[in-house]
Amino acid sequence: MHERPSGEERAVIVQLDFGRDDLDEQLAEVRLLARSAGASVCAVVHGRRHSPDAATYAGKGKVLEVAAEVAAHTADLVIFNHELSAGQERNLERALACRVIDRTSLILDIFAQRAQSAEGKLQVELAQLEHLATRLVRGWTHLERQKGGIGLRGPGETQLETDRRLLGIRVRLLKERLARLERQRGVQRKARGRGELLNVSLVGYTNAGKSTLFNALTHAGVFTADRLFATLDTTTRKLWLSEAGHIVLSDTVGFIRDLPHSLVAAFHATLEATAEADLLLHVVDSASAARDDQIADVNKVLAEIGAADVPQMMVLNKLDISGLPPAVERDEYGRIRRVRVSARCGDGLPLLREALAEMALAKTLKVREQASNAAAAQDIELNFGPDGSP
């Protein structure tokens, strides 16, 4: 095993081309991920392949090139912007004589740094343990097999089997705790859903400006920074709209391309709040050249967590960079499709408040209409009986 340095780590990034046409965006994103994790990128190794190498993913020649860059820059870490198997990761560490991580491990490390709440820490630990389960190897070969006492002699367990058993116990414990928290969240959401308050969740690609917009609307003081996954835990506040009263607004974790499935599963309790919202504010970086791909990636994750059918209002953010004017865009039926704002400068925020008030009033009318219909149905049942007879 390679020790983790206590200071900033010097990293070499490996980005291979398998025929995709968004390599520049992929490279820019992994650089931001590395910076968010606390690493300093000292070199980038490019390559082109038809398919991954079974043993080292990159092939022998490319591994030698990476080793040369590691030696030249005295790097501590090699980051593959791809998903490596456990065997490929071990083979690369032996060949490069330094730690090697893949994209999933990098994202997990960032999540571990960002988690603040007890629930967030449990979710990150669960995702890390499930990822680690595929990478367990014998770490203590000198132990051979553990010997039992009198009446317990036999082959016993290998250290690897013991590690797997203890890891499995911890995973089950974490899942039980998260299930309890999920039930508690469900009760709270049902209580909110029975009222007339509009329940809105902010969603979007990481670093699109969700938390900045959340702070601009609610003055919540959520931490913001120009880095990926600056905030991780969900924050909920009431927002007063003079035209429609209060609504409930939640800031959620940002999504990203190829978000690890283990993270989606582990954060199910948090992401479920998104699936049960009345409205999703899909925040988009209007200045990003890859915004269409980012929108597609967010919608893919929303479908994965069961939120594909929740109504969306798109918010094109960062007008101060893109140069677009503030505006509200409607479809041919008069429904709001997009609102253009700058969360940092405040341009367009009054338009967004008016759009949210319009949605809140629509929900209030719907809830009152449903209550009126239910009361009328109850009166009919009391007067005529459940079978319709007088």
Side-chain angles (χ1 to χ4, degrees):
M1 298 295 290
H2 301 278
E3 296 296 328
R4 184 190 184 100
S6 56
E8 186 178 64
E9 299 180 64
R10 297 172 59 80
V12 173
I13 290 176
V14 179
Q15 174 71 62
L16 302 181
D17 179 7
F18 293 101
R20 295 181 59 164
D21 56 1
D22 59 347
L23 291 180
D24 292 339
E25 289 80 7
Q26 289 185 46
L27 183 57
E29 186 172 272
V30 73
R31 281 181 176 273
L32 281 173
L33 284 170
R35 190 180 73 182
S36 297
S40 172
V41 178
C42 56
V44 178
V45 176
H46 298 275
R48 181 185 291 271
R49 290 187 64 88
H50 292 295
S51 61
D53 180 76
T56 61
Y57 198 88
K60 292 182 179 179
K62 191 57 61 177
V63 170
L64 291 175
E65 184 180 340
V66 175
E69 293 291 345
V70 169
H73 296 89
T74 60
D76 313 294
L77 175 68
V78 173
I79 301 172
F80 272 70
N81 193 25
H82 308 277
E83 187 168 349
L84 302 174
S85 69
Q88 288 168 339
E89 195 172 293
R90 290 194 296 271
N91 292 336
L92 286 166
E93 287 192 340
R94 282 196 293 266
L96 301 174
C98 71
R99 286 194 311 114
V100 176
I101 64 172
D102 62 2
R103 179 183 175 85
T104 298
S105 298
L106 179 61
I107 295 174
L108 285 171
D109 188 86
I110 297 170
F111 271 53
Q113 294 179 44
R114 301 288 187 270
Q116 297 295 326
S117 69
E119 183 178 11
K121 291 176 181 178
L122 288 176
Q123 291 172 136
V124 170
E125 184 182 355
L126 175 60
Q128 286 179 316
L129 289 178
E130 291 184 330
H131 184 63
L132 178 64
T134 64
R135 283 157 167 76
L136 283 178
V137 295
R138 180 190 294 273
W140 299 271
T141 54
H142 66 281
L143 291 179
E144 295 294 334
R145 285 185 175 268
Q146 299 172 354
K147 296 180 180 179
I150 296 175
L152 298 175
R153 300 187 190 279
E157 287 183 311
T158 65
Q159 185 65 45
L160 177 58
E161 289 166 346
T162 302
D163 291 344
R164 283 177 175 160
R165 178 172 54 81
L166 295 177
L167 187 146
I169 293 173
R170 181 62 179 169
V171 165
R172 286 195 296 274
L173 178 63
L174 291 174
K175 286 183 176 180
E176 290 172 1
R177 290 182 179 178
L178 287 171
R180 287 198 295 271
L181 289 171
E182 191 170 347
R183 287 194 294 270
Q184 293 172 6
R185 281 181 177 271
V187 172
Q188 294 168 356
R189 284 194 295 272
K190 286 180 181 177
R192 288 197 297 265
R194 285 192 293 267
E196 297 180 357
L197 294 186
L198 182 72
N199 187 10
V200 181
S201 285
L202 289 169
V203 299
Y205 208 79
T206 184
N207 210 32
K210 295 185 309 303
S211 296
T212 303
L213 180 61
F214 184 77
N215 286 339
L217 292 171
T218 66
H219 308 289
V222 173
F223 175 73
T224 61
D226 184 19
R227 58 188 184 188
L228 303 187
F229 302 117
T231 53
L232 181 59
D233 296 302
T234 298
T235 305
T236 300
R237 294 287 187 275
K238 280 188 176 181
L239 173 63
W240 170 256
L241 302 172
S242 57
E243 304 90 341
H246 281 106
I247 67 170
V248 177
L249 189 64
S250 298
D251 182 26
T252 61
V253 61
F255 301 150
I256 196 169
R257 175 182 60 87
D258 299 330
L259 187 67
H261 291 289
S262 58
L263 274 178
V264 176
F267 278 75
H268 182 264
T270 300
L271 296 175
E272 193 179 49
T274 300
E276 298 192 5
D278 298 311
L279 176 68
L280 301 181
L281 282 189
H282 187 162
V283 183
V284 177
D285 181 355
S286 64
S288 173
R291 69 180 189 183
D292 290 337
D293 293 332
Q294 292 175 357
I295 291 171
D297 289 329
V298 170
N299 287 330
K300 180 181 176 181
V301 178
L302 289 174
E304 196 171 343
I305 63 175
D309 296 329
V310 179
Q312 283 191 27
M313 182 193 301
M314 188 171 293
V315 179
L316 294 179
N317 191 25
K318 303 189 181 182
L319 300 187
D320 50 312
I321 301 176
S322 65
L324 296 171
V328 175
E329 300 178 16
R330 296 179 181 268
D331 61 18
E332 60 270 25
Y333 302 103
R335 293 175 299 203
I336 299 172
R337 292 180 60 247
R338 296 178 179 176
V339 181
R340 301 202 296 259
V341 306
S342 171
R344 177 178 294 176
C345 301
D347 296 339
L349 290 185
L351 296 175
L352 179 58
R353 286 177 171 271
E354 291 173 8
L356 289 172
E358 184 177 321
M359 301 296 290
L361 288 171
K363 183 187 178 182
T364 300
L365 292 174
K366 181 179 179 181
V367 170
R368 290 176 179 175
E369 183 181 352
Q370 290 174 342
S372 177
N373 292 339
Q378 187 175 16
D379 288 341
I380 292 174
E381 183 175 334
L382 289 173
N383 293 331
F384 292 94
D387 58 353
S389 59

